[in-house]
mmCIF file of all heavy atoms in Angstrom:
data_model
loop_
_atom_site.group_PDB
_atom_site.id
_atom_site.type_symbol
_atom_site.label_atom_id
_atom_site.label_comp_id
_atom_site.label_asym_id
_atom_site.label_seq_id
_atom_site.Cartn_x
_atom_site.Cartn_y
_atom_site.Cartn_z
ATOM 1 N N ALA A 30 88.490 21.211 -82.439
ATOM 2 C CA ALA A 30 88.486 19.809 -81.960
ATOM 3 C C ALA A 30 87.336 19.609 -81.001
ATOM 4 O O ALA A 30 87.005 20.489 -80.195
ATOM 5 C CB ALA A 30 89.798 19.491 -81.246
ATOM 6 N N PRO A 31 86.697 18.536 -81.068
ATOM 7 C CA PRO A 31 85.554 18.274 -80.173
ATOM 8 C C PRO A 31 86.020 18.129 -78.742
ATOM 9 O O PRO A 31 87.061 17.558 -78.469
ATOM 10 C CB PRO A 31 84.969 16.983 -80.690
ATOM 11 C CG PRO A 31 86.066 16.288 -81.404
ATOM 12 C CD PRO A 31 86.964 17.373 -81.984
ATOM 13 N N GLU A 32 85.187 18.670 -77.885
ATOM 14 C CA GLU A 32 85.489 18.568 -76.458
ATOM 15 C C GLU A 32 85.237 17.145 -75.999
ATOM 16 O O GLU A 32 84.266 16.513 -76.390
ATOM 17 C CB GLU A 32 84.646 19.536 -75.629
ATOM 18 C CG GLU A 32 84.940 20.980 -75.956
ATOM 19 C CD GLU A 32 84.103 21.890 -75.109
ATOM 20 O OE1 GLU A 32 83.252 21.369 -74.305
ATOM 21 O OE2 GLU A 32 84.263 23.102 -75.179
ATOM 22 N N PRO A 33 86.098 16.685 -75.226
ATOM 23 C CA PRO A 33 85.872 15.317 -74.730
ATOM 24 C C PRO A 33 84.709 15.280 -73.763
ATOM 25 O O PRO A 33 84.451 16.206 -73.008
ATOM 26 C CB PRO A 33 87.195 14.990 -74.008
ATOM 27 C CG PRO A 33 87.758 16.299 -73.622
ATOM 28 C CD PRO A 33 87.365 17.284 -74.696
ATOM 29 N N GLU A 34 83.951 14.195 -73.898
ATOM 30 C CA GLU A 34 82.808 14.027 -72.997
ATOM 31 C C GLU A 34 83.288 13.808 -71.574
ATOM 32 O O GLU A 34 84.247 13.068 -71.355
ATOM 33 C CB GLU A 34 81.977 12.831 -73.436
ATOM 34 C CG GLU A 34 81.318 13.035 -74.806
ATOM 35 C CD GLU A 34 80.474 11.841 -75.178
ATOM 36 O OE1 GLU A 34 80.408 10.880 -74.348
ATOM 37 O OE2 GLU A 34 79.838 11.849 -76.231
ATOM 38 N N PRO A 35 82.697 14.515 -70.682
ATOM 39 C CA PRO A 35 83.126 14.317 -69.289
ATOM 40 C C PRO A 35 82.789 12.929 -68.805
ATOM 41 O O PRO A 35 81.790 12.334 -69.202
ATOM 42 C CB PRO A 35 82.348 15.388 -68.511
ATOM 43 C CG PRO A 35 81.128 15.647 -69.326
ATOM 44 C CD PRO A 35 81.551 15.453 -70.773
ATOM 45 N N GLU A 36 83.652 12.416 -68.021
ATOM 46 C CA GLU A 36 83.397 11.083 -67.435
ATOM 47 C C GLU A 36 82.197 11.150 -66.502
ATOM 48 O O GLU A 36 81.987 12.117 -65.776
ATOM 49 C CB GLU A 36 84.636 10.640 -66.642
ATOM 50 C CG GLU A 36 85.840 10.386 -67.525
ATOM 51 C CD GLU A 36 86.990 9.876 -66.714
ATOM 52 O OE1 GLU A 36 86.739 9.628 -65.482
ATOM 53 O OE2 GLU A 36 88.083 9.707 -67.256
ATOM 54 N N PRO A 37 81.371 10.159 -66.643
ATOM 55 C CA PRO A 37 80.162 10.170 -65.783
ATOM 56 C C PRO A 37 80.518 10.080 -64.311
ATOM 57 O O PRO A 37 81.383 9.297 -63.925
ATOM 58 C CB PRO A 37 79.392 8.949 -66.225
ATOM 59 C CG PRO A 37 80.411 8.051 -66.831
ATOM 60 C CD PRO A 37 81.477 8.937 -67.453
ATOM 61 N N GLY A 38 79.940 10.950 -63.576
ATOM 62 C CA GLY A 38 80.147 10.908 -62.122
ATOM 63 C C GLY A 38 79.180 9.959 -61.463
ATOM 64 O O GLY A 38 78.359 9.291 -62.102
ATOM 65 N N PRO A 39 79.269 9.880 -60.189
ATOM 66 C CA PRO A 39 78.314 8.982 -59.469
ATOM 67 C C PRO A 39 76.879 9.474 -59.606
ATOM 68 O O PRO A 39 76.612 10.672 -59.571
ATOM 69 C CB PRO A 39 78.783 9.072 -58.009
ATOM 70 C CG PRO A 39 79.522 10.343 -57.912
ATOM 71 C CD PRO A 39 80.147 10.590 -59.274
ATOM 72 N N GLU A 40 76.006 8.504 -59.906
ATOM 73 C CA GLU A 40 74.591 8.862 -60.058
ATOM 74 C C GLU A 40 74.053 9.388 -58.732
ATOM 75 O O GLU A 40 74.339 8.854 -57.662
ATOM 76 C CB GLU A 40 73.791 7.629 -60.458
ATOM 77 C CG GLU A 40 74.167 7.114 -61.843
ATOM 78 C CD GLU A 40 73.332 5.931 -62.230
ATOM 79 O OE1 GLU A 40 72.457 5.533 -61.385
ATOM 80 O OE2 GLU A 40 73.492 5.394 -63.326
ATOM 81 N N PRO A 41 73.241 10.440 -58.824
ATOM 82 C CA PRO A 41 72.652 10.978 -57.572
ATOM 83 C C PRO A 41 71.654 9.999 -56.970
ATOM 84 O O PRO A 41 70.949 9.302 -57.685
ATOM 85 C CB PRO A 41 71.983 12.273 -58.012
ATOM 86 C CG PRO A 41 71.680 12.065 -59.443
ATOM 87 C CD PRO A 41 72.801 11.202 -60.001
ATOM 88 N N GLU A 42 71.670 9.942 -55.724
ATOM 89 C CA GLU A 42 70.698 9.045 -55.042
ATOM 90 C C GLU A 42 69.288 9.527 -55.311
ATOM 91 O O GLU A 42 69.004 10.730 -55.301
ATOM 92 C CB GLU A 42 70.960 9.049 -53.533
ATOM 93 C CG GLU A 42 72.303 8.445 -53.174
ATOM 94 C CD GLU A 42 72.490 8.409 -51.686
ATOM 95 O OE1 GLU A 42 71.530 8.848 -50.971
ATOM 96 O OE2 GLU A 42 73.527 7.928 -51.228
ATOM 97 N N PRO A 43 68.393 8.604 -55.612
ATOM 98 C CA PRO A 43 66.996 9.038 -55.891
ATOM 99 C C PRO A 43 66.364 9.637 -54.640
ATOM 100 O O PRO A 43 66.559 9.173 -53.528
ATOM 101 C CB PRO A 43 66.312 7.743 -56.285
ATOM 102 C CG PRO A 43 67.124 6.648 -55.661
ATOM 103 C CD PRO A 43 68.550 7.147 -55.656
ATOM 104 N N GLU A 44 65.681 10.700 -54.902
ATOM 105 C CA GLU A 44 64.999 11.346 -53.774
ATOM 106 C C GLU A 44 63.844 10.469 -53.297
ATOM 107 O O GLU A 44 63.033 9.976 -54.072
ATOM 108 C CB GLU A 44 64.465 12.709 -54.187
ATOM 109 C CG GLU A 44 65.561 13.696 -54.540
ATOM 110 C CD GLU A 44 64.978 15.039 -54.869
ATOM 111 O OE1 GLU A 44 63.738 15.151 -54.791
ATOM 112 O OE2 GLU A 44 65.753 15.954 -55.177
ATOM 113 N N LEU A 45 63.794 10.276 -52.006
ATOM 114 C CA LEU A 45 62.705 9.478 -51.419
ATOM 115 C C LEU A 45 61.426 10.298 -51.401
ATOM 116 O O LEU A 45 61.416 11.465 -51.019
ATOM 117 C CB LEU A 45 63.066 9.046 -49.994
ATOM 118 C CG LEU A 45 64.293 8.123 -49.877
ATOM 119 C CD1 LEU A 45 64.559 7.837 -48.404
ATOM 120 C CD2 LEU A 45 64.078 6.834 -50.649
ATOM 121 N N GLU A 46 60.357 9.630 -51.839
ATOM 122 C CA GLU A 46 59.063 10.311 -51.784
ATOM 123 C C GLU A 46 58.644 10.457 -50.325
ATOM 124 O O GLU A 46 58.810 9.540 -49.521
ATOM 125 C CB GLU A 46 58.016 9.503 -52.531
ATOM 126 C CG GLU A 46 58.297 9.403 -54.026
ATOM 127 C CD GLU A 46 57.200 8.637 -54.722
ATOM 128 O OE1 GLU A 46 56.245 8.228 -54.008
ATOM 129 O OE2 GLU A 46 57.270 8.451 -55.941
ATOM 130 N N PRO A 47 58.158 11.594 -49.980
ATOM 131 C CA PRO A 47 57.732 11.766 -48.570
ATOM 132 C C PRO A 47 56.589 10.822 -48.223
ATOM 133 O O PRO A 47 55.694 10.589 -49.030
ATOM 134 C CB PRO A 47 57.291 13.231 -48.517
ATOM 135 C CG PRO A 47 56.958 13.577 -49.913
ATOM 136 C CD PRO A 47 57.871 12.774 -50.791
ATOM 137 N N GLU A 48 56.686 10.260 -47.052
ATOM 138 C CA GLU A 48 55.603 9.368 -46.601
ATOM 139 C C GLU A 48 54.293 10.143 -46.482
ATOM 140 O O GLU A 48 54.270 11.271 -45.982
ATOM 141 C CB GLU A 48 55.945 8.766 -45.230
ATOM 142 C CG GLU A 48 57.138 7.827 -45.277
ATOM 143 C CD GLU A 48 57.364 7.202 -43.925
ATOM 144 O OE1 GLU A 48 56.576 7.505 -43.003
ATOM 145 O OE2 GLU A 48 58.321 6.414 -43.803
ATOM 146 N N PRO A 49 53.239 9.520 -46.979
ATOM 147 C CA PRO A 49 51.950 10.253 -46.907
ATOM 148 C C PRO A 49 51.530 10.454 -45.455
ATOM 149 O O PRO A 49 51.674 9.574 -44.618
ATOM 150 C CB PRO A 49 50.975 9.330 -47.638
ATOM 151 C CG PRO A 49 51.595 7.985 -47.553
ATOM 152 C CD PRO A 49 53.085 8.201 -47.560
ATOM 153 N N GLU A 50 51.062 11.627 -45.170
ATOM 154 C CA GLU A 50 50.595 11.913 -43.816
ATOM 155 C C GLU A 50 49.348 11.090 -43.527
ATOM 156 O O GLU A 50 48.493 10.915 -44.390
ATOM 157 C CB GLU A 50 50.283 13.405 -43.669
ATOM 158 C CG GLU A 50 51.508 14.287 -43.818
ATOM 159 C CD GLU A 50 51.143 15.728 -43.600
ATOM 160 O OE1 GLU A 50 49.939 15.983 -43.338
ATOM 161 O OE2 GLU A 50 52.031 16.571 -43.686
ATOM 162 N N PRO A 51 49.251 10.543 -42.322
ATOM 163 C CA PRO A 51 48.039 9.738 -42.019
ATOM 164 C C PRO A 51 46.803 10.609 -42.077
ATOM 165 O O PRO A 51 46.790 11.745 -41.629
ATOM 166 C CB PRO A 51 48.306 9.235 -40.591
ATOM 167 C CG PRO A 51 49.291 10.196 -40.015
ATOM 168 C CD PRO A 51 50.144 10.649 -41.164
#
Side-chain angles (χ1 to χ4, degrees):
E32 296 181 357
E34 295 182 1
E36 293 184 6
E40 294 182 0
E42 294 183 1
E44 295 183 1
L45 297 177
E46 295 182 1
E48 294 184 1
E50 295 183 0

